[in-house]
Amino acid sequence: MKSLLRRASLKTGLTLAALALAGGSWAQSFPQRPVTLMVPYPAGGVSDVIARTVNTVLGKHLGQPVVVENLGGVSGAIAAQKTLSAPADGYLLFQGSPNELILSPLANAAVKFKSEDFRLLQMISVAPLAVIARADLPVSNGDELAAYAARMAREGRPLTYASVGPGSFYHFMGEHMSHTLGVPMTHVPYKGAAPAFTDLMGGQVDIFITVFGKAQLEMAQQGRLKFVATLSEERLEGLKQVPTLRESRALKDFSYKIWTGYFVRKDTPEPVVQVLYKALTATLSDPAVRAGLEAQSQQVSRPLSLQEAAQAYTDGTAQFRALAKTIQLQPQ
């Protein structure tokens, strides 16, 4: 018996040693080819701009090019599912947020993955949100928006709001606003922010509760769309003339923001995770990356440890699942 135990112990020790050596070798060899950065929306939106601000510097830290791939549809769930269908080898990095990975599975019955199928490696930025409207919408603050929505509902022409698809964060915000105001509003889904803004400027949809960047600020300056209010706690630098919803009576508790981070499949080997995490953290500290993100109205995140990132993702999942219950959202 003792002999058998010694042999078993020796075998286990050799196995663990082999795994450790393999892990070390894996970490030293990864990556050996270009890494794909999956963006779950079409080119031209804020998410795409973030990726193209990050990818070149990230590639320098990884020692291999980082190629951006855009794949829109189903509130980002198509790109998320493609990430899960690829090997868990670190060569497909997903740029995501609560929008695609937490909310989409709650609202869309066709989405079969769970938030827990992904692992957050690092946050990159936190984005303020605003209610952006067609240029001729006759409102300029939260209370006027509430009154207009109520009048349109009484007339049988509910206020329309854009999103990047059913179950998206922006869909949640629209449904939450409708629930808060107690008036019906009509959801108009798009495959991404770029086509949503095109229709907003064309007057085909009334409002879009969304993140924004330099392009949208320029469109507002040109009179092509209108910033009605922000969802921030205080007025934003560079948008001091735009009130917050917290300043209104009807929507005084309507304050939200959304973050963007980088994910891999949860079963990605730890040595690969460590390589990606180190490169992402270094990228986050790069002055050019920070300046590029700030130019898009992004608030650059402080670097998180892997443990902090895991906790932030867990907390975010719990928060939005609770919100889904509050607005009685049912998968469709």
Side-chain angles (χ1 to χ4, degrees), residues 37-81:
L37 176 54
M38 178 66 69
V39 177
Y41 301 104
V46 175
S47 295
D48 180 59
V49 174
I50 291 173
R52 296 179 192 279
T53 301
V54 168
N55 72 310
T56 300
V57 176
L58 178 59
K60 289 179 180 178
H61 287 292
L62 287 173
Q64 288 286 346
V66 174
V67 181
V68 176
E69 178 179 342
N70 299 88
L71 181 60
V74 195
S75 302
I78 291 178
Q81 187 58 64

Side-chain angles (χ1 to χ4, degrees), residues 235-280:
R235 293 198 182 196
L236 299 172
E237 290 295 330
L239 279 176
K240 290 293 188 181
Q241 76 281 12
V242 178
T244 68
L245 288 179
R246 288 170 60 90
E247 296 174 48
S248 69
R249 294 183 301 275
L251 294 162
K252 60 184 177 63
D253 296 323
F254 212 89
S255 180
Y256 294 93
K257 55 188 175 182
I258 192 167
W259 50 264
T260 297
Y262 291 100
F263 296 80
V264 290
R265 281 178 44 169
K266 69 175 182 181
D267 53 347
T268 301
E270 192 63 26
V272 173
V273 165
Q274 292 292 338
V275 172
L276 289 169
Y277 171 76
K278 182 178 179 181
L280 285 167

